[in-house]
Amino acid sequence: MIVSKFLVAAATISLSATAFAAGTHGGGHGHGAASGEPGKASEVSRTITVEMYDNYYEPESITVSPGETVRFMVENKGNLVHEFNIGTPEMHEGHQEEMMMMVEHGVIQGGKLNHDMMNMDMGNGHSMKHDDPNSVLLEPGQSKEVVWKFSDKGNIEFACNVPGHYQAGMYGKVNFE
């Protein structure tokens, strides 16, 4: 059973490596500016619980109002490391390249993170800390919260950018009222 899970993960990463070899496509690299801004806990209008599985979210979509501040309680109920990241499809595409570097450098190791390696310098002032306010990267069984204020209506989604996970369908739509 464990061997088959690792084979699936290895195949997914292998397929992702081929897709990423095509080149850089740009984007916001996970920083969230086009999708809103970090929210203030005092302005939260509601809390949405998001559960991450291998490779899907519950719920699969959410509805928000422009200007609304939401607290997301995110829990990884899967067997692999997963990410919850709020952004545009273009931002996710760019961020997937950073996430591939995290796999290549041994930061993401299937179902665990090498926390010591997360301080590694990726150049241009970026590290692998994965500490952007619109995103959490969680090992199985972990949970964290994201407080986010949504901007005006736009093409926004939440996604897991661990190599191969987005391509396997691990993303959800943010609908605006």
Side-chain angles (χ1 to χ4, degrees):
M1 183 79 171
I2 291 174
V3 173
S4 65
K5 289 179 185 175
F6 286 118
L7 289 175
V8 169
T12 300
I13 289 170
S14 175
L15 288 171
S16 298
T18 304
F20 291 120
T24 301
H25 300 289
H29 297 288
H31 302 288
S35 59
E37 62 189 57
K40 297 177 184 167
S42 61
E43 296 177 1
V44 168
S45 63
R46 64 190 163 123
T47 299
I48 297 174
T49 299
V50 177
E51 297 174 340
M52 300 186 294
Y53 295 90
D54 301 325
N55 280 322
Y56 65 96
Y57 292 101
E58 283 291 333
E60 294 180 350
S61 67
I62 60 167
T63 301
V64 300
S65 298
E68 182 178 15
T69 301
V70 176
R71 173 182 287 112
F72 293 95
M73 296 302 300
V74 184
E75 183 177 356
N76 185 351
K77 293 194 170 197
N79 294 308
L80 301 170
V81 169
H82 289 296
E83 176 188 47
F84 175 82
N85 187 308
I86 302 167
T88 65
E90 296 78 21
M91 289 169 50
H92 292 302
E93 187 175 3
H95 185 54
Q96 289 169 15
E97 294 172 19
E98 290 180 345
M99 298 295 284
M100 179 56 104
M101 288 179 65
M102 293 179 80
V103 170
E104 290 170 349
H105 288 91
V107 176
I108 299 173
Q109 302 173 353
K112 68 177 192 158
L113 294 169
N114 182 330
H115 295 279
D116 293 333
M117 297 282 295
M118 292 180 89
N119 292 319
M120 179 184 292
D121 181 10
M122 291 176 26
N124 297 326
H126 296 284
S127 71
M128 295 191 184
K129 289 182 185 176
H130 212 274
D131 57 359
D132 294 314
N134 64 315
S135 180
V136 291
L137 183 64
L138 303 174
E139 293 175 308
Q142 287 186 319
S143 60
K144 289 188 181 176
E145 74 175 40
V146 171
V147 177
W148 195 251
K149 181 177 181 178
F150 289 90
S151 57
D152 293 332
K153 294 180 180 181
N155 187 11
I156 311 296
E157 58 189 13
F158 52 96
C160 179
N161 293 298
V162 171
H165 295 200
Y166 186 97
Q167 292 77 8
M170 195 167 182
Y171 56 89
K173 183 75 177 150
V174 175
N175 301 305
F176 286 88
E177 293 181 334

